[in-house]
Amino acid sequence: MPVGDNLARLDPGQFMPYARPVAGRIPAVAGVLTEAEIRATGETIAAAQEESGAIGWPDGQVDAWNHVECAMALSVCGLAGPARRAYEWLLATQRADGSWPRRIAPGGAVNEAAGESNHAAYVAVGVWHEYLATGDTDFVARMWPAVRRAIEYAVGLQAPRGEIIWQRDSGGAPARYALLAGCASMCQSLRCAVALADLAGEPQPDWELAAGRLAHAVACHPEAFADKSRFSMDWYYPVLGGAVRGPDAAAWLSAGWPDFVVPGLGVRCVRDEPWVTGAETCELVLALDAIGDTRRALEMFAEVQFLRDPDGAYWTGWQFANRKHFPNERSSYTSAAIILAADTLSAATGANGLFRATATDAAAAPDPVRCGCQISLGSSG
């Protein structure tokens, strides 16, 4: 059945708490960034894009997760051509098993052949985001087979307890552990994939079950994950990915706030280093917005603007003990996080609520306080 034939029966609100997809304006956050300034930031991402469509780190290395994040930001800025070229790159470089190499060098050489489950799964977030922003069902039809293979790759690494192992090595052997931030992100990826499957007329109930099991593991079983609790991503990603919501989400963020938030500067990348980063700060902005804490979300978004360069690009981070940019680079993924946070705060495009939905249906969402598990809120354990 053609993708477009399902539009009449699909209600995106079943998966996302907002309206049907519509083309929108470029975001602007009053008193912080104008539309022209956001557009300028998007153009710095486009300027870093390779002819192949790849969008890499400052050193040119490309991974699928950050590449997708940049494609989403380009679309938000109205840079449709570069955004679509980014998605074509994903189609051209996906492997037969549904994964992408962990690192691809400029020009296309594979530097690290292992495939990460989170990298593969995140393509579903990008494709669903593009649909919500544009309503383009032809695009979904073109991308759907790649999404299906990518999600099957990720779900194929799910352990009996619910967590998803973080990678397969170059020989196809799975790693021995899961990562909390990656699994929390995949909660969102699976939710978007379920929505895309319905839109494509190929419902995937097994993915819905996998999403529920994964969200339960993220919210209730810290012992399932390698201890990376010094990293701020392990703190806020269970909220950002939708596994933890409501009062429990507020408690989760409050527990880690003193360790990771530097007043007036942003979010530390790791709790034991005097180093704040723009991407982590904007992801926390998205998490705060998702639980209705708009005031602090806006405050943090305004605070991080000291990392902005005059041309619209953003420095990756700031070492506040030495008062120097660290690393000494401007990164497209940081600029992308700025743009996506601006869209969420200004409700500019049809995709602005992407990060507000829960990873599973609200009635079935795991409750870390009442599920009978012993956890420490805000820590990966």
Side-chain angles (χ1 to χ4, degrees):
M1 180 184 296
V3 170
D5 291 350
N6 292 282
L7 284 176
R9 70 178 182 84
L10 175 67
D11 177 10
Q14 179 182 0
F15 303 96
M16 305 282 178
Y18 45 87
R20 287 186 178 279
V22 292
R25 56 182 174 82
I26 296 174
V29 180
V32 183
L33 291 175
T34 66
E35 288 188 21
E37 287 170 327
I38 290 291
R39 173 77 178 208
T41 298
E43 288 172 348
T44 68
I45 299 174
Q49 188 174 37
E50 296 180 26
E51 185 176 348
S52 66
I55 307 171
W57 292 49
D59 63 2
Q61 301 293 316
V62 185
D63 73 73
W65 197 102
N66 284 288
H67 173 88
V68 168
E69 191 90 336
C70 290
M72 291 160 62
L74 288 169
S75 184
V76 166
C77 290
L79 296 168
R84 292 300 174 88
R85 287 202 295 122
Y87 286 108
E88 288 297 320
W89 180 88
L90 289 168
L91 294 177
T93 54
Q94 187 181 33
R95 297 183 290 199
D97 66 359
S99 71
W100 284 265
R102 187 195 301 162
R103 294 286 185 274
I104 299 177
V110 174
N111 276 1
E112 296 183 47
E116 293 195 24
S117 53
N118 184 32
H119 287 187
Y122 204 61
V123 67
V125 178
V127 173
W128 184 244
H129 176 274
E130 182 72 359
Y131 169 68
L132 292 171
T134 68
D136 188 344
T137 55
D138 289 340
F139 168 79
V140 175
R142 179 161 175 74
M143 295 296 300
W144 167 242
V147 172
R148 186 177 56 221
R149 289 193 300 270
I151 296 300
E152 289 295 337
Y153 177 84
V155 171
L157 284 164
Q158 189 163 38
R161 182 169 40 193
E163 72 271 23
I164 294 178
I165 303 303
W166 80 286
Q167 73 163 20
R168 291 188 186 275
D169 66 20
S170 58
R176 296 183 178 181
Y177 57 90
L179 299 174
L180 179 58
C183 282
S185 176
M186 282 187 281
C187 288
Q188 183 189 40
S189 296
L190 285 170
R191 169 178 48 82
C192 293
V194 167
L196 287 166
D198 271 30
L199 182 60
E202 298 182 24
Q204 301 289 330
D206 288 348
W207 294 359
E208 296 187 61
L209 293 172
R213 292 170 56 218
L214 177 61
H216 178 81
V218 167
C220 301
H221 289 285
E223 76 280 2
F225 306 98
D227 184 7
K228 303 287 184 181
S229 57
R230 65 189 288 261
F231 289 87
S232 61
M233 287 191 299
D234 266 28
W235 162 52
Y236 62 75
Y237 249 97
V239 176
L240 179 61
V244 181
R245 282 289 193 265
D248 300 321
W252 193 291
L253 293 182
S254 293
W257 195 275
D259 289 338
F260 292 112
V261 176
V262 181
L265 292 179
V267 176
R268 295 176 189 256
C269 181
V270 291
R271 65 156 58 98
D272 52 344
E273 294 289 345
W275 173 36
V276 296
T277 47
E280 277 80 356
T281 301
C282 284
E283 287 179 335
L284 180 59
V285 167
L286 293 170
L288 290 167
D289 176 85
I291 64 171
D293 194 345
T294 307
R295 179 186 62 81
R296 285 200 296 184
L298 285 166
E299 287 176 355
M300 298 207 72
F301 186 74
E303 288 173 355
V304 80
Q305 298 307 317
F306 77 97
L307 293 174
R308 184 180 179 88
D309 242 12
D311 68 350
Y314 282 79
W315 294 91
T316 299
W318 176 255
Q319 217 280 6
F320 53 86
N322 296 334
R323 300 187 61 78
K324 292 182 179 180
H325 290 121
F326 179 80
N328 189 30
E329 65 181 28
R330 308 184 316 169
S331 49
S332 292
Y333 62 81
T334 301
S335 294
I338 290 281
I339 291 167
L340 294 177
D343 188 30
T344 294
L345 293 172
S346 62
T349 75
N352 77 86
L354 182 71
F355 298 94
R356 296 192 193 107
T358 54
T360 57
D361 181 79
D367 185 330
V369 173
R370 291 176 286 278
C371 70
C373 304
Q374 298 298 315
I375 68 169
S376 174
L377 291 176
S379 171
S380 68

